[in-house]
Each structure stands twice: as C-alpha cells, then as structure tokens.
Amino acid sequence: MAHLIPSLNPATAKPVSKTSLLPSFFTTTIKTNKKKMNCAATISSPNVSNQNLFNNRRQDVVEAIQKSLSNCLSETNLHQTVPILKSKIRGKVRDIYDSGDYLVMVTTDRQSAFDRVLASIPFKGQVLNQTSLWWFDKTRHITPNAVVSSPDKNVTIAKRCSVFPVEFVVRGFVTGSTDTSLWTVYKNGVRNYCGNALPEGMEKNEKLSANILTPTTKAVDHDVAVTPDEIIKRGLMTPDDYDEVSSKALSLFEFGQRVALEHGLLLVDTKYEFGKGADGTIYLIDEIHTPDSSRYWIANSYEERFHNGLEPENVDKEFLRLWFKDHCNPYEDKVLPDAPKELVSELAWRYIFLYETITKSKFEIPTLEVPVHDRITQNVTTALSSLL
C-alpha cells in the first residue's frame, strides 16, 4: 500500500490519499513492514525570500542529523555524576533532578506520543529547551515563569513549585489523532467536551469559532479529560487558582497564535502546566509552544487544503503518530516497531525548522567533541555551585 505525500508548496500541491502521513522535506522512499511510503516533494518555507539558501540550509541540517542518529541523548544519570543532585524523576521526555530549592530539568531526545516513548530524535532536546526558553522570555508580560537559568543547551534550572495536577490544553481547531484529541471525541459523537459546547456539522481540521480550554488530569499512564467543575469539586485546584490559570492559558495561546501567524504559521493547539511557588505566586512551568507540546500548520496553504479535503501541512510530530497508528496499536502493543530512520530525520529537521522560523535565529548544531552527558555534567555542576 503506497502512502502519497503532499507537497509543502501550495503551488505544486496535488490531491493525495487520506492516508497521507507527512509532507516530506526531501525525496526518498521509506520501506518498512513490507510497505512503501513514497516521499517526493519540495518545500516553500514561510517568509523565506531565497529558496536556494533555504534548501542549502535544509541539506546541511539533514546531513548533520543523519550523522547523529546513533548519538542521541536518550538517557541521563546526573544523580550519579553531580553529587549535589538528590534524586531523579524520569518523565517521557525530561529527566528531572532535585537539588533542594531548585529543579534541574534535562530535555532528552526521547520522542513521546500515545503516553509512551516511540524513538529518539537527534538534537530534539536542545531544540525543545531553546524553543521554550525563547517563548518563556517573550511571555513574561502575561505570566511569570519558573526559569532560573539555562547552563546547557539541553538544561533548564527552575524554581521548585507545587505543580497543579491539571494540564491546560488550549485548542483553536478540531483536529488530532489520539484518544483525547478533539477530532477523535467529536467524530465519536461528543458535543460537550470539558464544558465546551460544540456545534454539529464540523469537519476535521476546521477552525473553531473561538479558542477553547480542554483540561486533562493524569491517570496512571494517560491523560483524562476533565471539566472545570470537576477540577474544583475534586479539590485539584481552588476556584481562584483555576480562574487565574485558565485566563493565563488562554492569553498565552492567543499571544502564541499572533506571533506564529506573523512567521507564517498557525498555532493549532498546545498544553500548559502551572505550579505555585513558596511565596504563593503562580508560575508557568515545564515547556511552552514547542513542537512536542503544540501543533503547528503552514498558514498560507491551510485554507486551500482544508477546502480540498487535504490534511494541513504540519510542522509537528503528527505524521509520526500516524505512522505508528498505521503499523501497530500504540496504546496496547507491548513492543512497537522501530520508527524508520527517514521519518526520524524528517522530524528532527522539522523541529529545527520550526525553531528557526519562530525565533528568526540559526540553530547551533552541537559538536561531538565532548560527549553530551559529560558536557551537561560539567555545566550543571558549575551552575549549581553558584546557586547553592
């Protein structure tokens, strides 16, 4: 079964099957599980005046990615190399270390979806950390954040907070492929989701009339949708804290949408996490507007593709989610197939592409002269010695 891949150039876009997985940034053929995925496309990037320069940049980055496929930061053990760190919590993507008043958060290259790790993506940890830091800086006028410093490209040191047990998911479109995605629940007949009334007759990828908040709580190993009333009744947050955080979440998303659109992108949906500091201040924590926590589409081709029944050109991990859904049951299978190297390289490039598009800065490819774990150990040790 062939999966046809649409072009990211609206002028050359051709009709494709509804099983399309991704608009590829390079030409290749992926063979896996006795299936072929034909990838042949060009890209016209938002706000890029010289396509040749852009293509050369893409080629250089993809070459660096492919050389680093076996050198990903998949695991860290700083509690064994930095004596002052007391313990380690291993999240899906971040390794979090306790140093007393501060938390040391290392963003690894692990790729998570369906509440499990799917693969390791070269440079992903650095991209996510630096993307978050950029957005944290740009959103200080909306809410304070817990960031203290970033001593390493993959590391953020943050104030210790009491984390609210609620993730604030904000959505601007009806889309998605996971069990908690808005499109999945909508097509299954749900018309009131997390306290939001949804009209009849909506189509996948359609823009909502207004942004909505769809909070979730953490179960043992997956997210569970919850209404604002349930959050209050279950004592997960006080009414005042919920009102403040929900207002900040919607304001952050609206600001993110404006900035993204200025750079040729649509911020489709995202999630935020908040915590309360020792002084009672509510802080934005974790990450913000990264390609891991957010969905981005190319703006200038959205309308045409939507009206033609085509999937939007996306700059996020959705195509990898779809690949796994097409090749296994990612929620129930104990062992998952290995993601094709071509898809891993594609996702790494997209993360870097998004960072450079949003920040208007060049992503610095890390050198391999010093092993990344050694580099992080040295930088964290130096930073903590000045803080503690």
Side-chain angles (χ1 to χ4, degrees), residues 129-199:
N129 193 54
Q130 292 185 312
T131 300
S132 276
L133 290 170
W134 189 89
W135 280 108
F136 278 132
D137 182 63
K138 298 298 181 183
T139 56
R140 292 181 186 276
H141 65 289
I142 298 174
T143 180
N145 59 68
V147 175
V148 175
S149 67
S150 178
D152 185 272
K153 297 171 183 176
N154 288 70
V155 178
T156 293
I157 296 179
K159 299 175 183 176
R160 176 181 292 279
C161 294
S162 175
V163 181
F164 294 118
V166 178
E167 290 189 351
F168 285 77
V169 182
V170 188
R171 307 177 188 272
F173 295 76
V174 183
T175 192
S177 60
T178 64
D179 287 353
T180 57
S181 74
L182 190 55
W183 173 245
T184 298
V185 299
Y186 186 87
K187 73 178 180 179
N188 289 336
V190 174
R191 293 297 179 269
N192 192 300
Y193 190 51
C194 300
N196 300 286
L198 303 172

Side-chain angles (χ1 to χ4, degrees), residues 91-131:
K92 296 189 189 77
V93 175
R94 286 170 179 79
D95 291 341
I96 303 174
Y97 298 90
D98 182 358
S99 69
D101 292 334
Y102 305 101
L103 297 178
V104 176
M105 299 185 292
V106 184
T107 309
T108 72
D109 296 332
R110 297 192 294 264
Q111 181 63 52
S112 169
F114 307 107
D115 298 306
R116 63 196 300 180
V117 175
L118 303 180
S120 292
I121 311 297
F123 313 140
K124 178 196 166 184
Q126 178 180 335
V127 173
L128 293 191
N129 193 54
Q130 292 185 312
T131 300

